[in-house]
Amino acid sequence: MRLNIGMCFMVLFMATRVNSFVGITWGRQQSQQLVPSMVVDLLLQNKIPALRLMTSANDIIEIFSATNISISITLGHQTFNLVNRKDLAYIWVNDRVKEPVNKGVNIVEVTIGSEPFSRSFFRETAKTYQLMNVIKLVRGALNDMGLGYIRTTTSHGMDVLKLTKIPSEADFRDDIKTLMLESLEFFNQTGTPFLLNMFPIQMVREILECPMEFAFFDNKSEFKIQDGNITYRNAVELMIDTVAWAITKAGYPNMKIMIGQIGWPTDGYPHANIENARRFHKGLLKFLASNKGTPLRPGPIDVFLHSLSDENEFRAIFGAFQRHWGIYEADGNPKYKIDFSLQDRDIYPTQAKGIVTMPNRWCKFDGDNSDKDLVNKYYNFACQEADCTRLEKGGSCDGLSDDSKISYAFNAYFQKEKQKVEACDFDGLGEITAENPSVGNCEFPIEILALQDQIGRDTSISIRI
């Protein structure tokens, strides 16, 4: 594999960084998508220098032209067949990378697949047998088109490792070890970091099975994990060093580890709430600002926070909480205080401007339980079509009465359908109200509109300037 001047510069730049770097991810599986120009505004006003897109985003990518925001795009598993030959890879790179770059988009990375060796998360679509072939084809096309400075990589979760609680015992799973070694060799040749997706809330609860306090940097418990002469008091450092040990054993002790996704959900999982998300990010960003790194990887750490906004159409089969990673609500309101600048200020990030909302109208259940089969039918229908994950165990709406849960489901569908009157019928079981039916921490949302939805609608919508 040849290294051109651009790639050599990229490797040198990464090797000489002295400060931690914080970007953010943006997935767009939402019924209420933020307008891309608003996202650009949010990134610039919050001084977030980099964005990791979870698709190639070819429909919106040009909005980032001349912004100097570093962009990472993703080629998903389901599109591997579009680039599994040299000619196809050239077409894809030309359309999805070179053309945007020529128009001023600062694309710095192409991620091929997402956690392709995961045991569960994307297993059904992960064409692992094609992965390295596709990465090499895309890498070759980039080089030949004068875009050698753009990284090619893939991301991995913690489940590429054998189950262990002690970092020094870490190693890659036997069933994927050959594939992992092949990819590590390629990344080493091209100066590409190991891209790690890590979510401490899951690691602590499901793998380490220890007090949730261990997930936080200001761990208020006595729990710790000892590994030789190293003491770990938080999950983040332990997780990074666990991967570092596996990479070292594979023969690459100096390979950089970049965090491609890290965050804390605010709903749909035990301990997933706004206060814990605020606390986790505050501790994480303070740790990053210190540039001290971990015992095995001292120094700055590059991180992408996950994610910009909630995705209410992300497949709930992977867990209800997967729809609630957003630092922002779908309507562009920040959920909690966070200082992206690493100055540890007690501030809310900039609010999205220009958001268009529907009128203050909700749909609720009329309380008629005389035909329970009919009620259950429409409750299930509403939750199949709209997002009811907040009603699941551990969610912010879990404690609602049965009738209120039905109202939540009816309203979720009503809002998704842009408040169409017929979307609150449910054979006469639904009724439209101007009185907010939210209860405590359980908020009944109101739909926002994308720009294309505004055409032809009445003028009772409101615009936040």
Side-chain angles (χ1 to χ4, degrees):
M1 172 61 68
R2 62 186 183 277
L3 291 174
N4 62 23
I5 294 175
M7 289 181 65
C8 290
F9 175 77
M10 177 185 71
V11 174
L12 178 63
F13 172 77
M14 290 169 56
T16 56
R17 288 282 306 275
V18 295
N19 294 311
S20 295
F21 162 98
V22 177
I24 199 164
T25 68
W26 183 29
R28 299 167 61 213
Q29 295 187 51
Q30 303 151 307
S31 63
Q32 306 168 313
Q33 286 191 14
L34 292 173
V35 177
S37 59
M38 297 176 188
V39 172
V40 171
D41 185 55
L42 283 177
L43 296 176
L44 293 176
Q45 290 196 39
N46 287 303
K47 296 182 172 56
I48 300 173
L51 179 67
R52 180 175 297 280
L53 291 163
M54 311 313 286
T55 66
S56 65
N58 63 303
D59 58 328
I60 63 162
I61 193 74
E62 291 181 20
I63 198 70
F64 297 99
S65 297
T67 63
N68 205 35
I69 296 169
S70 298
I71 302 293
S72 299
I73 64 173
T74 301
L75 191 162
H77 308 127
Q78 66 275 15
T79 57
F80 276 10
N81 289 336
L82 300 178
V83 289
N84 61 2
R85 298 197 316 258
K86 184 175 181 178
D87 59 325
L88 296 176
Y90 270 62
I91 292 171
W92 190 91
V93 169
N94 183 70
D95 292 346
R96 305 301 174 94
V97 184
K98 186 175 183 179
E99 286 191 8
V101 167
N102 288 344
K103 294 177 180 178
V105 182
N106 184 27
I107 297 177
V108 299
E109 180 184 272
V110 178
T111 303
I112 314 297
S114 179
E115 302 186 29
F117 303 140
S118 171
R119 285 188 182 275
S120 59
F121 195 58
F122 286 119
R123 187 173 185 176
E124 63 189 72
T125 57
K127 301 179 176 65
T128 56
Y129 62 92
Q130 294 189 37
L131 177 69
M132 287 312 302
N133 178 52
V134 170
I135 289 179
K136 290 175 181 178
L137 287 170
V138 172
R139 174 76 270 150
L142 289 168
N143 290 347
D144 291 346
M145 292 184 188
L147 302 170
Y149 61 90
I150 296 176
R151 298 188 301 268
T152 47
T153 187
T154 191
S155 62
H156 297 293
M158 293 295 294
D159 65 352
V160 297
L161 305 174
K162 296 177 180 178
L163 184 62
T164 181
K165 298 181 180 181
I166 307 300
S168 62
E169 297 176 359
D171 203 352
F172 295 111
R173 296 190 338 245
D174 291 337
D175 61 312
I176 59 167
K177 193 163 188 177
T178 299
L179 291 167
M180 289 300 302
L181 292 177
E182 182 185 4
S183 63
L184 289 174
E185 180 182 11
F186 178 81
F187 297 149
N188 185 60
Q189 291 173 348
T190 57
T192 304
F194 185 96
L195 191 62
L196 174 64
N197 296 344
M198 54 185 292
F199 302 108
I201 187 173
Q202 289 176 280
M203 183 72 175
V204 168
R205 185 170 187 268
E206 299 178 15
I207 306 301
L208 299 178
E209 297 179 326
C210 65
M212 189 54 65
E213 281 295 315
F214 189 65
F216 299 97
F217 283 88
D218 61 340
N219 181 356
K220 296 175 183 177
S221 74
E222 297 298 319
F223 185 83
K224 59 188 177 182
I225 290 180
Q226 197 72 31
D227 188 5
N229 61 354
I230 299 175
T231 301
Y232 291 96
R233 300 185 183 279
N234 69 81
V236 172
E237 292 183 75
L238 179 137
M239 293 167 76
I240 292 172
D241 279 2
T242 299
V243 172
W245 266 109
I247 294 173
T248 298
K249 290 177 182 178
Y252 305 101
N254 299 316
M255 181 174 287
K256 180 182 176 69
I257 297 173
M258 176 184 284
I259 310 305
Q261 296 180 34
I262 185 172
W264 195 281
T266 56
D267 218 324
Y269 194 79
H271 306 284
N273 56 59
I274 288 175
E275 174 53 31
N276 280 345
R278 182 206 62 79
R279 179 186 171 196
F280 173 76
H281 283 102
K282 184 177 179 64
L284 171 65
L285 295 182
K286 191 172 182 178
F287 166 73
L288 295 174
S290 74
N291 291 312
K292 87 177 172 106
T294 72
L296 265 64
R297 285 291 191 272
I301 300 174
D302 293 344
V303 164
F304 283 84
L305 303 180
H306 184 69
S307 69
L308 184 67
S309 59
D310 285 349
E311 295 182 85
N312 65 351
E313 293 187 345
F314 197 94
R315 293 182 64 188
I317 191 174
F318 300 126
F321 65 97
Q322 297 289 358
R323 294 182 173 183
H324 301 285
W325 291 105
I327 293 172
Y328 281 85
E329 300 280 6
D331 64 1
N333 279 310
K335 297 180 184 177
Y336 46 85
K337 293 179 179 179
I338 183 172
D339 184 5
F340 295 110
S341 71
L342 300 182
Q343 298 177 60
D344 198 28
R345 295 173 296 174
D346 189 35
I347 60 171
Y348 281 97
T350 302
Q351 184 184 53
K353 308 298 182 184
I355 293 293
V356 180
T357 64
M358 294 292 291
N360 287 338
R361 289 199 294 256
W362 296 264
C363 177
K364 69 175 186 177
F365 175 45
D366 68 2
D368 181 4
N369 283 291
S370 58
D371 188 342
K372 288 298 294 183
D373 288 340
L374 186 66
V375 172
N376 290 334
K377 170 188 171 182
Y378 282 114
Y379 173 81
N380 292 331
F381 167 79
C383 286
Q384 287 170 0
E385 296 297 320
D387 180 25
C388 293
T389 52
R390 290 182 177 179
L391 297 174
E392 297 193 17
K393 187 174 181 179
S396 60
C397 301
D398 179 26
L400 293 180
S401 67
D402 289 344
D403 282 4
S404 289
K405 287 182 177 180
I406 296 166
S407 288
Y408 185 95
F410 283 9
N411 183 66
Y413 179 76
F414 176 65
Q415 300 297 337
K416 183 180 180 182
E417 293 298 310
K418 304 294 189 292
Q419 297 189 359
K420 296 175 184 176
V421 173
E422 59 269 26
C424 188
D425 182 41
F426 302 106
D427 268 355
L429 294 172
E431 58 184 28
I432 296 173
T433 178
E435 184 178 345
N436 190 339
S438 299
V439 180
N441 292 328
C442 177
E443 181 180 351
F444 284 50
I446 292 177
E447 181 69 275
I448 66 170
L449 297 180
L451 291 181
Q452 62 269 27
D453 293 323
Q454 299 170 34
I455 300 173
R457 299 201 63 90
D458 66 42
T459 57
S460 58
I461 57 177
S462 60
I463 302 178
R464 185 194 307 145
I465 304 298

